[in-house]
Amino acid sequence: MRIQVILRVIGILVMVFSLSLIPPIIVSLIYQDDTLGAFASALAINLLSGFLIWFPVRNQRADLKIRDGFVVTVLFWFVLGLSGSVPFLISTDPVLTFTDALFESISALTTTGATIITHIDGLPPSILFYRQQLQWLGGMGIIVLAVAIMPMLGIGGMQLYRAETPGPVKDSKLTPRIAETAKALWYIYASLTTVCAVGYWLAGMTLFDAICHSFSTVAIGGFSTHDASIGYYNSVAIEVVCSLFMFISAINFGLHFYAWRNQSVLHYFKDPEARFFIFILFCTVTLTTLGLTLTATYDWDLAFRYAVFESISIATTAGFGTSDFSAWPHFLPFLLIVTSFAGGCASSTGGGMKVMRILLILKQGVREIQRLVHPSAVIPIKVGGKAIPERVVSAVWGFFSAYLIVYVILMIGLMATGIDQVTAWSAVAATLNNLGPGLGDVSANFAGINDPAKWMLCFSMLLGRLEVFTLLVLFTPMFWQR
Amino acid sequence: MRIQVILRVIGILVMVFSLSLIPPIIVSLIYQDDTLGAFASALAINLLSGFLIWFPVRNQRADLKIRDGFVVTVLFWFVLGLSGSVPFLISTDPVLTFTDALFESISALTTTGATIITHIDGLPPSILFYRQQLQWLGGMGIIVLAVAIMPMLGIGGMQLYRAETPGPVKDSKLTPRIAETAKALWYIYASLTTVCAVGYWLAGMTLFDAICHSFSTVAIGGFSTHDASIGYYNSVAIEVVCSLFMFISAINFGLHFYAWRNQSVLHYFKDPEARFFIFILFCTVTLTTLGLTLTATYDWDLAFRYAVFESISIATTAGFGTSDFSAWPHFLPFLLIVTSFAGGCASSTGGGMKVMRILLILKQGVREIQRLVHPSAVIPIKVGGKAIPERVVSAVWGFFSAYLIVYVILMIGLMATGIDQVTAWSAVAATLNNLGPGLGDVSANFAGINDPAKWMLCFSMLLGRLEVFTLLVLFTPMFWQR
Ligand SMILES: [K+]
Ligand SMILES: [K+]
């Protein structure tokens, strides 16, 4: 372990992060919302903290190895979670405890979008902007993590995507590849955000709202500047823009990268994961529309409109809302939240287990049936015509079961603090899948639950974002040997 | 497919089953409970039906092949479910609809032990005896299924147990092996039942209750002759006998078979699955005792007593009760029902996914972490010092995911009929794990739920008992080709 090199990276990270407080300061100056001091202090605190971490180890330069990658990745999210909470702690509106400030910050950075704030419409514009920007930065981090780092670490079968990332593959050095990949992804991510913001603006949002919502849409974060979320606008045009960009952002950014380099579009339609994702969405929209119509919750046209938006919003794990879906007949919110376990495609800003893994699991299920009927046949699992290595398949299984075991343990933990089963079930789904909204006591926001539960949910959000194993591996003695 | 040979087997099965109505007839004669006619009619109906199935194909003799095994196994449970429901339909106490009679019969035969009857204490003795005997016969069927048939069919990794079953292994002919194995298992099963009955009787039950409860204990069925189940007696001695025999019956009958043939006991303590099962029970008892004490639900001595009994009862999927555990602080019933997913050991009368599969899944999880730390190492999964073939491991994964996918689909189905989430969650667990008791609206019995839900739960009980794949495979076009 190259602790000092890692500390140097983290120090730089915190200093760079402190610069992200400049845009909220500008917003505060424009709107004169009395939050200038909070952001200026937060900037100073973060800059100084970063400097103090960095200065003693500033000359420690060495390439990081793959094993260091786990530590850097986990520290990245923990430290930024802490840094990001500073403005919430200092600001006088909202007034948040340390637990709440950290919860809000981690929820933003992991693009979960669960909030403990109960009066979003009344917040100062700079705080609103900051929350949205935090999601956007988190989304950027996730893309780099998902496209460049996870495949190298080999988390849950993601080594499958190694060949698709740019740069030399055989190399175990992290730094050069991340830098190269990150730059390309940055262009794609920023372009998508810009087009999304223009789309929202043309669809009728104010410029401020358009920019803010473009941040949380492309990040699949789900934070909004209004308590009623996208439902505030009651505009089909805005819902269409939102749905479109949630969908695009939930597609593998490796495909966007390919499109950007090769000026191609056809490859999207050939991608088995994207096709399966569309299939999932199609089924969910159909079932939800039928469910809402047959139970006479809405007429079919309104049912279809809500079904399309909520299905895409929940299945991509964005978590925006146009209707209080927790008040629908119970099997519909349950069904929708189940789709969030699939979540977005691999290497996207979406959460959940990722569509590719669910696809592999279903293919394996079919293979097991084939094996029962033809016990002696050798049947490889193929995706898009290519056989998947058994090692990747077993890593996906490992991921799937670890995910579910963690899920059940977190649920029991929450229920032990006195939370009811439906709330606990949905709260873990909302956080582990980085979805955002839940049911029961957390259907509007997470303010009402107890502090130990909030800490568990913070951990759950990080576990989900770090694909469980990146974080779990640090708790094993094996990792720290040698 | 040798349809006619299969029909011949089924015809004989129904005729033999009709003989099982003789003991209830004797009970009815002893207690003069006016149910004689119902059982006599049911005997006649079943004998005649069996004869009509058998007679046209009586000369069709051929050895069945492995693929036929799936059809015979599934038909076995469907047909006996139907045959077993006849006395419930004819009897005037209880008065049951066809749906309810079938539910009760399938619940008994699959040793689920969920009941739709609301006044068990008031039932005629012959009906009480019949319900218990039906569970006992089901348990016998399960043992043969689990020890002799499942390993040959290779369901969910159970080919692992092929070597442990007696007789020639390479042979694909079903009949001779089943006969040989079934005979040996019959002795063991009957002996256990006898000792259990004597135990109950010495502990203070009436002879009638002792025999009835020995049937449902060794079968891990959970039916009782009292609404209050084992809690009716409020006797530590009876709880000890019950716990002991639930535990013994949840151990792999292959081990009992080995003990019977080799006069050995030591091998029990060396078996990794049995050891892990004891570990699960130890953890559950500890957590439950702590939970009940810390929440001041009971004093520690009563907490310990209830914790031991309910943990063993739920973890083995027996489902007997001494306390209304659904009224405990919510996380405890949740935790207990989660243990029922592990269920008993493979090749026992227990339900759930089986302890061995959970053990393999956890070992695979650990291996994934090892692989992350040492990406180039080749690490086999070992149980009891022996490496498990990758094929078995992947079959276990396939089983695990199919189980959970079926679980979620059934839950959505139940909730679509208007059932709340907690009831639906526990009802599927109660049936798919062949556990019996649930929470919410099904904590006392299953009488209150709607008919479509009861049909889904019947299907769920059969799916659980047939280890999902045996039943699912029949729905694939692949199975019926050629
Ligand atoms: K989200
Ligand atoms: K049972």
Side-chain angles (χ1 to χ4, degrees):
Chain A
M1 206 60 57
R2 297 151 187 265
I3 302 284
Q4 296 184 311
V5 186
I6 292 173
L7 280 178
R8 186 178 144 267
V9 171
I10 297 296
I12 293 171
L13 177 75
V14 174
M15 287 192 284
V16 169
F17 174 78
S18 71
L19 300 181
S20 79
L21 296 168
I22 294 173
I25 288 175
I26 295 170
V27 172
S28 186
L29 284 170
I30 293 171
Y31 288 90
Q32 294 293 326
D33 63 4
D34 291 331
T35 320
L36 184 61
F39 283 109
S41 323
L43 194 157
I45 290 171
N46 274 315
L47 196 60
L48 188 66
S49 309
F51 181 81
L52 289 178
I53 297 170
W54 168 79
F55 190 76
V57 291
R58 67 192 175 284
N59 295 320
Q60 299 290 335
R61 283 159 194 280
D63 282 319
L64 292 173
K65 298 289 179 190
I66 284 197
R67 202 194 291 211
D68 304 317
F70 289 98
V71 181
V72 173
T73 306
V74 170
L75 275 180
F76 184 98
W77 295 93
F78 271 97
V79 169
L80 282 196
L82 215 55
S83 295
S85 71
V86 179
F88 292 126
L89 269 173
I90 300 177
S91 164
T92 51
D93 184 18
V95 177
L96 297 182
T97 64
F98 175 65
T99 302
D100 284 356
L102 193 68
F103 184 96
E104 194 76 7
S105 171
I106 290 179
S107 173
L109 279 167
T110 56
T111 74
T112 304
T115 186
I116 40 80
I117 300 175
T118 51
H119 61 296
I120 291 168
D121 284 284
L123 290 178
S126 58
I127 290 280
L128 285 175
F129 184 87
Y130 174 69
R131 286 171 81 239
Q132 306 294 122
Q133 184 192 265
L134 210 50
Q135 288 218 314
W136 191 70
L137 293 174
M140 183 68 226
I142 288 154
I143 288 296
V144 174
L145 190 70
V147 176
I149 300 177
M150 290 296 181
M152 254 182 294
L153 301 184
I155 302 289
M158 285 300 116
Q159 58 268 52
L160 192 64
Y161 290 99
R162 256 180 218 170
E164 292 185 18
T165 52
V169 175
K170 308 280 176 281
D171 197 348
S172 77
K173 293 176 185 172
L174 282 184
T175 342
R177 289 196 48 209
I178 292 175
E180 188 200 340
T181 313
K183 202 173 143 195
L185 292 171
W186 158 261
Y187 284 124
I188 296 166
Y189 192 70
S191 311
L192 274 178
T193 312
T194 312
V195 179
C196 180
V198 171
Y200 275 136
W201 185 61
L202 291 176
M205 279 192 192
T206 64
L207 188 62
F208 180 80
D209 275 7
I211 293 170
C212 283
H213 282 90
S214 73
F215 284 166
S216 58
T217 305
V218 175
I220 310 203
F223 269 167
S224 170
T225 53
H226 301 288
D227 290 298
S229 189
I230 298 293
Y232 172 86
Y233 306 100
N234 191 18
S235 149
V236 173
I238 287 174
E239 286 165 30
V240 168
V241 173
C242 187
S243 301
L244 183 67
F245 280 90
M246 288 190 288
F247 176 74
I248 291 172
S249 309
I251 297 291
N252 188 333
F253 269 62
L255 296 181
H256 297 325
F257 184 79
Y258 187 90
W260 178 73
R261 278 236 293 224
N262 301 286
Q263 312 293 317
S264 152
V265 156
L266 265 178
H267 65 288
Y268 284 110
F269 301 96
K270 288 182 192 154
D271 183 61
E273 190 185 20
R275 291 159 71 123
F276 186 57
F277 186 46
I278 292 171
F279 175 73
I280 293 175
L281 290 175
F282 177 80
C283 295
T284 315
V285 169
T286 309
L287 285 173
T288 310
T289 308
L290 280 175
L292 288 173
T293 313
L294 294 177
T295 57
T297 310
Y298 302 113
D299 284 337
W300 78 266
D301 48 348
L302 204 54
F304 179 70
R305 178 177 156 190
Y306 284 149
V308 168
F309 187 85
E310 291 288 345
S311 296
I312 295 178
S313 176
I314 305 294
T316 60
T317 74
F320 288 114
T322 50
S323 155
D324 179 12
F325 82 114
S326 71
W328 293 355
H330 293 324
F331 75 102
L332 290 173
F334 182 80
L335 171 71
L336 287 176
I337 291 182
V338 165
T339 67
S340 79
F341 280 85
C345 296
S347 308
S348 75
T349 46
M353 287 194 258
K354 308 295 175 293
V355 172
M356 179 50 110
R357 292 202 181 98
I358 303 298
L359 182 60
L360 283 176
I361 283 166
L362 290 180
K363 291 209 177 221
Q364 165 99 10
V366 171
R367 178 171 71 167
E368 280 313 309
I369 291 177
Q370 289 174 321
R371 278 178 167 174
L372 288 178
V373 180
H374 306 291
S376 48
V378 175
I379 308 156
I381 291 187
K382 286 187 179 180
V383 172
K386 270 181 261 177
I388 305 291
E390 283 298 323
R391 175 108 180 213
V392 168
V393 175
S394 81
V396 169
W397 289 120
F399 178 83
F400 182 70
S401 62
Y403 204 88
L404 293 176
I405 290 166
V406 162
Y407 191 94
V408 169
I409 293 173
L410 284 167
M411 253 189 92
I412 293 174
L414 288 184
M415 290 174 73
T417 71
I419 291 173
D420 71 272
Q421 186 171 335
V422 173
T423 301
W425 178 79
S426 69
V428 180
T431 51
L432 195 62
N433 294 341
N434 299 119
L435 165 62
L439 308 174
D441 295 345
V442 295
S443 56
N445 57 61
F446 284 68
I449 57 171
N450 61 74
D451 273 9
K454 281 176 189 158
W455 283 94
M456 282 186 239
L457 293 176
C458 283
F459 189 65
S460 173
M461 291 189 269
L462 289 168
L463 270 174
R465 198 34 94 188
L466 292 167
E467 309 243 304
V468 181
F469 276 112
T470 320
L471 187 48
L472 279 192
V473 78
L474 299 194
F475 290 97
T476 61
M478 198 193 316
F479 182 82
W480 300 101
Q481 279 159 14
R482 209 166 38 118
Chain B
M1 207 60 57
R2 295 152 188 264
I3 302 285
Q4 295 185 311
V5 186
I6 293 172
L7 280 178
R8 188 180 141 264
V9 172
I10 297 297
I12 293 171
L13 177 76
V14 173
M15 287 191 283
V16 171
F17 173 78
S18 71
L19 301 180
S20 79
L21 296 168
I22 294 171
I25 287 175
I26 295 169
V27 172
S28 186
L29 285 170
I30 294 171
Y31 287 89
Q32 295 292 327
D33 64 3
D34 292 332
T35 320
L36 184 63
F39 282 110
S41 321
L43 193 156
I45 291 171
N46 275 315
L47 196 60
L48 187 67
S49 310
F51 181 81
L52 289 179
I53 298 171
W54 168 80
F55 190 75
V57 290
R58 67 196 175 283
N59 295 319
Q60 300 291 336
R61 282 158 194 278
D63 282 319
L64 292 173
K65 298 290 178 190
I66 285 197
R67 201 195 290 212
D68 304 319
F70 289 98
V71 181
V72 173
T73 309
V74 170
L75 276 180
F76 185 98
W77 296 94
F78 270 96
V79 169
L80 281 197
L82 214 55
S83 294
S85 70
V86 178
F88 292 127
L89 267 174
I90 300 178
S91 164
T92 51
D93 185 17
V95 177
L96 297 182
T97 63
F98 175 64
T99 302
D100 284 357
L102 193 68
F103 184 96
E104 195 76 6
S105 172
I106 290 179
S107 173
L109 279 167
T110 57
T111 74
T112 303
T115 185
I116 39 79
I117 300 175
T118 52
H119 61 294
I120 291 168
D121 284 283
L123 290 178
S126 57
I127 289 280
L128 287 175
F129 184 88
Y130 174 68
R131 285 172 81 238
Q132 305 295 121
Q133 183 191 270
L134 212 49
Q135 288 218 314
W136 190 69
L137 293 174
M140 184 66 226
I142 288 154
I143 288 295
V144 174
L145 191 69
V147 176
I149 300 176
M150 291 294 183
M152 254 182 294
L153 302 183
I155 302 290
M158 284 303 115
Q159 57 265 54
L160 192 63
Y161 290 99
R162 256 181 217 168
E164 291 185 19
T165 53
V169 175
K170 307 278 177 283
D171 196 348
S172 76
K173 293 177 185 172
L174 283 182
T175 344
R177 289 196 49 209
I178 292 175
E180 188 200 340
T181 313
K183 202 173 144 193
L185 293 170
W186 159 262
Y187 284 124
I188 297 168
Y189 191 71
S191 311
L192 274 177
T193 310
T194 311
V195 180
C196 180
V198 171
Y200 275 136
W201 185 61
L202 292 176
M205 279 192 193
T206 64
L207 187 62
F208 180 78
D209 275 7
I211 295 171
C212 284
H213 282 91
S214 73
F215 284 166
S216 58
T217 305
V218 176
I220 310 203
F223 269 167
S224 171
T225 53
H226 301 288
D227 291 298
S229 190
I230 298 294
Y232 172 86
Y233 306 100
N234 191 19
S235 152
V236 174
I238 286 174
E239 287 165 28
V240 168
V241 173
C242 187
S243 301
L244 182 67
F245 280 89
M246 287 192 286
F247 176 74
I248 291 173
S249 309
I251 298 290
N252 188 335
F253 269 62
L255 296 180
H256 297 325
F257 185 79
Y258 187 90
W260 178 72
R261 277 233 294 222
N262 301 289
Q263 312 292 319
S264 153
V265 156
L266 264 178
H267 66 287
Y268 285 110
F269 302 95
K270 288 182 190 155
D271 183 62
E273 189 185 20
R275 291 160 70 122
F276 186 58
F277 186 46
I278 292 170
F279 174 75
I280 292 176
L281 289 176
F282 178 80
C283 294
T284 313
V285 170
T286 310
L287 284 172
T288 309
T289 309
L290 280 174
L292 287 174
T293 314
L294 294 177
T295 57
T297 310
Y298 302 113
D299 284 336
W300 78 267
D301 48 348
L302 204 55
F304 179 71
R305 177 178 158 191
Y306 284 149
V308 168
F309 186 85
E310 292 287 346
S311 296
I312 295 179
S313 176
I314 306 292
T316 60
T317 73
F320 288 114
T322 51
S323 155
D324 179 12
F325 82 113
S326 70
W328 291 356
H330 292 324
F331 75 102
L332 290 173
F334 182 80
L335 172 70
L336 287 177
I337 291 183
V338 165
T339 66
S340 78
F341 280 86
C345 297
S347 308
S348 75
T349 46
M353 287 194 260
K354 308 295 174 291
V355 172
M356 180 50 110
R357 293 204 181 95
I358 303 298
L359 182 61
L360 283 176
I361 283 167
L362 290 179
K363 292 211 175 218
Q364 165 99 9
V366 171
R367 178 170 71 167
E368 280 313 308
I369 291 178
Q370 289 173 321
R371 278 179 168 175
L372 289 179
V373 180
H374 306 290
S376 48
V378 175
I379 309 156
I381 292 189
K382 287 186 179 180
V383 172
K386 269 182 262 177
I388 305 289
E390 283 298 324
R391 174 106 181 215
V392 168
V393 175
S394 81
V396 170
W397 288 120
F399 178 84
F400 182 70
S401 62
Y403 205 88
L404 294 175
I405 289 167
V406 162
Y407 191 92
V408 169
I409 292 173
L410 285 167
M411 254 189 91
I412 293 173
L414 288 184
M415 291 174 72
T417 71
I419 291 173
D420 72 272
Q421 187 171 335
V422 173
T423 302
W425 178 79
S426 70
V428 181
T431 51
L432 195 61
N433 295 341
N434 298 120
L435 165 61
L439 308 174
D441 295 344
V442 295
S443 57
N445 56 58
F446 284 68
I449 56 172
N450 60 74
D451 273 9
K454 281 177 190 158
W455 282 94
M456 282 186 239
L457 293 176
C458 283
F459 190 65
S460 173
M461 291 189 269
L462 289 167
L463 271 174
R465 197 34 93 188
L466 293 167
E467 308 242 305
V468 181
F469 277 112
T470 320
L471 188 47
L472 279 192
V473 78
L474 299 194
F475 290 97
T476 61
M478 198 193 317
F479 183 81
W480 299 101
Q481 280 159 14
R482 208 172 34 118

